[in-house]
Amino acid sequence: MKNNVKRKVNVFANLKDLVCDCYYESKIKFFITGFVMLVALLTGIIVAVKCFSQIGDSFSKYGVVDISNGLSSSFFSRLFSMILFMLLLFGFSFSKFCMPLALILIGYRTYLLGLNLTIMFICFGVPGMIVSIIIALPCQILALASLCIFYMLQCKCSRDFNCCGREHMRRKLQLMLFCLVLLLIICILETLLLLLLSAKVILVI
């Protein structure tokens, strides 16, 4: 039992050290990614406000989903969306020349986040604001941050192991497994908060 606990502690300690090393090695990339996310988020908010008259009752055409009939379908939709995003970033991490594509993908998802959060607030008033601020925004920002860190770690792994050998793929798949578990936890937490607050809508991007 003690050995298992020590192994788990060592795994998380190694992951923490890996993230810290990645940050110190790639501060500029982290700054650029954060800047792109901020601009994309604000752009989504501005577009939603300007298009207020065109939104009306057509919010379902965007990413806001009515969950009054059940949470199961939206849970798997959110999880699938995050996993697909993760797999795309995983593919882009094999070449440094794909970083612009990764930034476009991250920016687009952040834009959709700002757009849909604002739509939720406009169309549903106070209840929409509560869901947006207390549930959707923290969970989606946490998921986005996790996916961005995942991408940076995958890029570091590709730099550290120039050849596509067994150790290279083993490290990459380990990072993917960690990210997958974290995304699953985020989706479960978001679903529990939706149940706790008896929410009627959530966004799927």
Side-chain angles (χ1 to χ4, degrees):
M1 178 67 74
K2 289 183 178 180
N3 290 332
N4 290 335
V5 173
K6 286 182 179 179
R7 286 177 184 174
K8 291 179 180 178
V9 171
N10 288 334
V11 168
F12 285 108
N14 292 336
L15 184 61
K16 178 183 176 183
D17 292 339
L18 185 63
V19 172
C20 291
D21 291 341
C22 182
Y23 173 74
Y24 287 120
E25 291 177 10
S26 309
K27 284 184 179 180
I28 295 177
K29 289 183 180 179
F30 273 95
F31 174 79
I32 293 173
T33 303
F35 179 76
V36 168
M37 291 175 66
L38 178 61
V39 171
L41 182 69
L42 294 175
T43 302
I45 293 172
I46 292 170
V47 169
V49 171
K50 285 190 174 182
C51 297
F52 170 73
S53 59
Q54 301 175 13
I55 294 172
D57 297 327
S58 62
F59 61 86
S60 59
K61 295 180 181 179
Y62 296 86
V64 183
V65 177
D66 185 352
I67 57 173
S68 57
N69 295 324
L71 281 168
S72 58
S73 61
S74 67
F75 171 84
F76 289 108
S77 296
R78 296 195 310 274
L79 183 60
F80 176 77
S81 174
M82 290 179 184
I83 292 174
L84 179 61
F85 187 74
M86 179 188 71
L87 292 175
L88 289 171
L89 290 179
F90 176 75
F92 291 149
S93 70
F94 282 91
S95 173
K96 62 182 180 180
F97 299 107
C98 290
M99 187 175 181
L101 295 176
L103 286 175
I104 291 172
L105 189 65
I106 291 169
Y108 180 65
R109 188 175 179 90
T110 311
Y111 163 79
L112 291 178
L113 175 61
L115 179 74
N116 283 283
L117 286 176
T118 308
I119 289 174
M120 194 183 299
F121 175 73
I122 292 173
C123 294
F124 297 95
V126 175
M129 181 184 67
I130 292 173
V131 174
S132 299
I133 295 176
I134 297 180
I135 303 176
L137 180 61
C139 290
Q140 290 296 327
I141 288 293
L142 181 58
L144 262 173
S146 301
L147 288 163
C148 289
I149 293 173
F150 164 79
Y151 171 70
M152 295 297 182
L153 291 176
Q154 291 286 357
C155 290
K156 174 178 168 55
C157 185
S158 294
R159 290 196 307 270
D160 292 345
F161 300 92
N162 293 325
C163 60
C164 295
R166 183 179 298 178
E167 180 63 23
H168 174 255
M169 288 307 299
R170 186 182 70 84
R171 186 73 63 85
K172 277 184 163 291
L173 291 176
Q174 280 182 343
L175 291 171
M176 183 181 289
L177 180 61
F178 273 116
C179 187
L180 182 60
V181 172
L182 184 57
L183 293 178
L184 180 61
I185 292 172
I186 292 172
C187 284
I188 292 173
L189 177 62
E190 189 175 31
T191 301
L192 291 175
L193 288 172
L194 289 170
L195 288 171
L196 183 64
L197 295 178
S198 300
K200 301 300 182 185
V201 290
I202 191 58
L203 62 89
V204 178
I205 55 175

